[in-house]
């Protein structure tokens, strides 16, 4: 029986970080909406309540039935979670005159409390809340305070319950990982058996049991997710797997042939389909980003379906869906961030059963699984690439000429990152989570080349650092690198006369521009 910690999501931007930190401790966890505590409680060893953008007093605030788990399992409330527990159990939460946001220091905490086991005397934490707890429930006692927050953390005298008004999951809380370890391992009793190696072994066996001798179809994208998914399935069912790689014409430069060669090197049975003519025709004149995604998704289904019908004995459709795909595609607030290319649509239209071996993994976990499967490093380390491809990196309508411009500029940028060695000896590409070029085709800027005046398009370079793409910061690329890349793009890519660099983070921006 697999142990797991349930993380109830109240809408915080850092809920997925909590999950990442728990997984790093060798403990499986599942992130669920605040009001969806599982009826099947097998394997649950603890519960964490996340933060939230709301005040507990707001009419829109998310509320949970605490009786489902308080007193039954060890519980940790974080920020809003701590305030919700206090407000629901007889304590008091009030709005502060100023928002408590940023670094703070625990001036005092209970060294004897298991949550703070092994803590150093000085401990920096990260606060982010507009309300504060001014009274805790009668059966609780304070276990940590800062200069401004008396009830920075508290614990129950009667049940295994702890609550903190700071965020232990973020980097700025210096001993946050230790606090989460104390909760998951010492308090909840995790045996820390969740790992990439254990996942590979158990998943291959599960796939064998689930699929038997059935034939499976998998749509490959060239990215690490679908590649790892294909390799896992190949280990489990071998020749009963057929992969289909659709070229919609908006891949990176020479990507189709490079990826096909890589897949054949893995021993996969791959069908390559050049459907670019159809995609360009259906996208003609379309400028709305969401319509672009929908058209590409619809056309992909149509092309994929045509090829899949040729495999008459197929019973399953496999997808490289990972955990963040599912989280981003269905927000608990009811607002979808984007329609994700890995989620939804195909099974109903194709009348196939769905197989998603990676649906519980974060991106870094997928890469660790790839290493355990001894896949080529060039596939494992590939940056994420959007399913709609360069279509969502071209502002405005899509034409073959615009794609050509963007492919050339993007190729220069990515190849330069692969060749650039940083001062610490690392390849620049490996230090960046995702990088690419955006063509501002709706804008023209004036320039001078030789003695001639030009009126061409600017491009924007985009490079971010991240752990799982749920949050991201713009990468501080070396100035000499950017100068060289800018000069090379302007000199070699016809149609571009200006290069900019995107210095926005997620949130409030997204990684892709569309």
């Amino acid at each position: 029986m697999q142990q797991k910690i349930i993380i109830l999501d109240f809408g915080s931007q850092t809920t997925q970080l909590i999950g990442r930190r728990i997984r790093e401790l060798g403990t499986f966890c599942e992130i669920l909406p605040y009001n969806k505590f599982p009826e099947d409680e097998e394997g649950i060893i603890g519960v964490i309540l996340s933060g939230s953008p709301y005040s507990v007093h707001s009419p829109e605030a998310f509320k949970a039935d605490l009786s489902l788990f308080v007193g039954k399992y060890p519980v940790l409330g974080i920020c809003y979670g701590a305030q919700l527990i206090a407000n629901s159990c007889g304590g008091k939460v009030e709005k502060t005159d100023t928002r408590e946001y940023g670094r703070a220091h625990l001036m005092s905490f209970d060294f004897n409390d298991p949550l703070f086991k092994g803590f150093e005397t000085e401990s920096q934490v990260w606060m982010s809340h507009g309300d504060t707890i001014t009274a805790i429930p009668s059966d609780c006692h304070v276990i940590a305070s800062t200069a401004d927050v008396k009830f920075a953390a508290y614990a129950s005298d009667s049940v295994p319950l702890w609550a903190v008004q700071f965020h232990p999951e973020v980097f700025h809380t210096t001993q946050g990982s230790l606090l989460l370890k104390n909760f998951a391992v010492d308090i909840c009793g995790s045996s820390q058996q969740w790992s990439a190696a254990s996942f590979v072994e158990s998943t291959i066996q599960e796939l064998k049991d689930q699929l038997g001798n059935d034939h499976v179809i998998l749509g490959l994208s060239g990215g690490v997710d679908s590649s790892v998914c294909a390799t896992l399935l190949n280990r489990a069912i071998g020749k009963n797997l057929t992969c289909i790689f659709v070229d919609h014409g908006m891949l990176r430069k020479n990507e189709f042939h490079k990826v096909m060669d890589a897949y054949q090197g893995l021993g996969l049975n791959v069908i390559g389909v050049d459907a670019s003519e159809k995609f360009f025709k259906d996208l003609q004149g379309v400028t709305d980003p969401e319509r672009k995604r929908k058209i590409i998704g619809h056309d992909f289904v149509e092309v994929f379906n045509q090829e899949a019908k040729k495999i008459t004995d197929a019973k399953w459709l496999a997808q490289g869906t990972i955990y963040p795909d599912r989280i981003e595609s269905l927000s608990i607030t009811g607002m979808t961030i984007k329609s994700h290319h890995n989620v939804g649509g195909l099974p109903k239209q194709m009348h196939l059963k769905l197989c998603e071996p990676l649906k519980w993994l974060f991106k870094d976990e997928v890469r660790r699984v790839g290493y355990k499967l001894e896949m080529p490093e060039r596939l494992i380390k590939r940056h994420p690439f959007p399913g709609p491809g360069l279509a969502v990196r071209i502002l405005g309508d899509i034409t073959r000429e615009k794609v050509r411009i963007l492919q050339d500029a993007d190729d220069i940028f990515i190849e330069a990152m692969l060749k650039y060695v940083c001062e610490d000896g690392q390849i620049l590409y490996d230090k960046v989570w995702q990088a690419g070029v955006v063509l501002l085709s709706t804008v023209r800027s004036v320039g001078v080349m030789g003695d001639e005046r030009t009126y061409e398009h600017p491009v924007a370079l985009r490079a971010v650092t991240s752990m799982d793409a749920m949050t991201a910061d713009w990468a501080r690329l070396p100035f000499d690198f950017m100068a060289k890349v800018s000069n090379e793009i302007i000199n070699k890519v016809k149609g571009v006369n200006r290069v900019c660099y995107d210095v926005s983070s997620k949130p409030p921006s997204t990684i892709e521009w569309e």
Side-chain angles (χ1 to χ4, degrees):
M1 179 180 66
Q2 179 171 262
Q3 295 179 322
K4 61 182 175 183
I5 288 177
I6 298 297
I7 300 171
L8 294 181
D9 182 14
F10 289 85
S12 171
Q13 295 174 352
T14 60
T15 300
Q16 287 71 43
L17 276 180
I18 303 172
R20 286 284 323 287
R21 298 291 179 256
I22 297 297
R23 295 276 185 92
E24 288 168 0
L25 295 169
T27 305
F28 183 72
C29 64
E30 186 174 348
I31 299 172
L32 295 172
Y34 65 97
N35 57 351
K36 299 293 183 183
F37 192 78
E39 293 182 7
D40 180 5
E41 301 182 31
E42 184 178 5
I44 297 175
I45 59 173
V47 180
I48 296 177
L49 279 59
S50 82
S52 175
Y54 294 116
S55 160
V56 293
H57 300 301
S58 171
E60 297 86 14
F62 300 133
K63 302 293 175 64
D65 183 356
L66 303 182
S67 67
L68 295 175
F69 44 85
V70 171
K72 297 175 66 176
Y73 307 102
V75 174
L76 174 63
I78 294 175
C79 195
Y80 175 90
Q83 295 175 358
L84 176 66
I85 293 169
N87 191 61
S88 303
C89 299
K92 194 172 184 180
V93 177
E94 297 181 281
K95 183 168 284 296
T96 57
D97 293 333
T98 57
R99 181 176 172 84
E100 293 166 345
Y101 181 85
R103 294 174 176 83
H105 288 84
L106 297 183
M107 306 300 293
S108 62
F109 53 89
D110 186 350
F111 285 98
N112 296 316
D113 190 278
L115 196 65
F116 294 114
K117 177 184 174 183
F119 262 50
E120 298 173 3
T121 305
E122 290 291 323
S123 187
Q124 176 182 283
V125 297
W126 185 263
M127 296 283 188
S128 179
H129 53 91
D131 295 346
T132 194
I133 299 169
T134 54
I136 56 178
S138 58
D139 67 337
C140 294
H141 62 281
V142 62
I143 55 174
S145 303
T146 70
D148 300 314
V149 182
K150 179 180 179 181
F151 302 110
Y154 64 91
S156 171
D157 300 319
S158 56
V159 294
L161 181 149
W162 289 261
V164 296
Q165 285 202 88
F166 53 87
H167 287 270
E169 70 273 20
V170 302
F171 172 78
H172 306 290
T173 297
T174 53
Q175 297 183 85
S177 293
L178 177 57
L179 185 149
L180 292 173
K181 177 179 181 294
N182 288 341
F183 178 74
V185 179
D186 295 345
I187 294 173
C188 296
S190 167
S191 57
Q192 296 183 280
Q193 293 182 344
W194 169 260
S195 66
S198 67
F199 175 84
V200 168
E201 182 179 350
S202 63
T203 301
I204 289 176
Q205 187 57 53
E206 287 169 6
L207 289 171
K208 288 179 178 179
D209 296 340
Q210 179 187 29
L211 304 173
N213 291 319
D214 292 349
H215 278 73
V216 179
I217 303 170
L218 169 67
L220 289 172
S221 68
V224 63
D225 302 335
S226 65
S227 301
V228 170
C229 182
T231 306
L232 270 173
L233 283 161
N234 192 42
R235 296 282 177 91
I237 61 173
K239 59 182 175 56
N240 284 354
L241 171 68
T242 300
C243 302
I244 300 172
F245 182 29
V246 177
D247 181 6
H248 49 38
M250 287 154 282
L251 299 173
R252 282 186 156 129
K253 189 173 183 177
N254 301 322
E255 182 89 339
F256 184 68
H257 300 294
K258 289 179 182 177
V259 171
M260 284 295 291
D261 289 344
Y263 283 146
Q264 287 164 0
L266 284 171
L268 298 175
N269 176 26
V270 185
I271 299 170
V273 184
D274 181 358
S276 57
E277 195 66 39
K278 174 178 178 56
F279 283 87
F280 278 111
K281 180 181 177 183
D282 291 347
L283 286 167
Q284 187 173 355
V286 177
T287 59
D288 179 72
E290 193 64 10
R291 275 200 67 206
K292 289 181 190 176
R293 287 182 177 271
K294 296 289 187 184
I295 290 170
I296 292 170
H298 176 272
D299 283 2
F300 176 83
V301 171
E302 189 175 324
V303 173
F304 189 91
N305 203 8
Q306 288 172 356
E307 292 299 320
K309 283 179 179 177
K310 300 174 185 176
I311 309 165
T312 56
D313 57 349
K315 294 183 179 179
W316 294 85
L317 172 76
Q319 290 188 158
T321 311
I322 65 173
Y323 210 13
D325 294 344
R326 298 192 293 145
I327 293 168
E328 281 206 339
S329 295
L330 184 60
S331 165
I332 65 165
T333 63
M335 181 176 64
T336 300
I337 298 173
K338 62 182 178 183
S339 358
H340 204 284
H341 62 280
N342 277 346
V343 180
L346 292 175
K348 183 183 294 185
Q349 297 192 34
M350 298 180 63
H351 308 290
L352 297 174
K353 292 181 283 187
L354 185 61
C355 175
E356 297 176 302
L358 310 180
K359 66 181 179 181
W360 293 111
L361 299 186
F362 289 100
K363 180 73 76 173
D364 62 317
E365 293 174 320
V366 174
R367 288 197 169 102
R368 288 202 291 271
V369 167
Y371 280 114
K372 289 296 178 182
L373 291 168
E374 298 181 338
M375 292 172 60
E377 194 169 55
R378 66 183 181 277
L379 278 178
I380 298 170
K381 285 189 172 182
R382 284 170 63 89
H383 287 177
F385 188 67
L390 300 179
V392 293
R393 293 182 181 174
I394 296 174
L395 303 193
D397 65 326
I398 309 298
T399 67
R400 285 189 179 273
E401 174 61 11
K402 290 178 182 179
V403 171
R404 191 274 309 165
I405 292 172
L406 187 52
Q407 283 178 332
D408 288 347
D410 180 83
D411 187 60
I412 291 171
F413 185 34
I414 298 301
E415 287 300 312
M417 294 187 75
L418 286 164
K419 294 173 183 175
Y420 190 92
V421 180
C422 301
E423 291 182 358
D424 60 4
Q426 273 191 285
I427 302 298
L428 181 59
Y429 182 90
D430 295 340
K431 299 181 78 168
V432 171
W433 170 267
Q434 186 171 345
V437 179
V438 179
L439 175 63
L440 283 65
S441 70
T442 57
V443 177
R444 287 184 182 274
S445 65
V446 69
V448 177
M449 290 188 180
D451 294 327
E452 294 184 5
R453 183 184 179 91
T454 63
Y455 196 55
E456 296 179 331
H457 299 298
V459 296
L461 308 183
R462 179 70 159 148
V464 299
T465 57
S466 181
M467 295 296 286
D468 51 29
M470 302 307 296
T471 60
D473 192 15
W474 60 278
R476 275 62 171 174
L477 301 182
F479 285 166
D480 63 326
F481 168 82
M482 288 200 290
K484 182 177 183 297
V485 167
S486 172
N487 187 59
E488 191 172 351
I489 288 174
I490 291 171
N491 285 337
K492 293 184 177 179
V493 182
K494 184 179 179 181
V496 175
N497 67 352
R498 191 177 299 272
V499 175
C500 312
Y501 187 56
D502 183 347
V503 293
S504 51
S505 297
K506 176 187 178 181
S509 301
T510 53
I511 295 176
E512 299 295 342
W513 278 40
E514 290 192 342

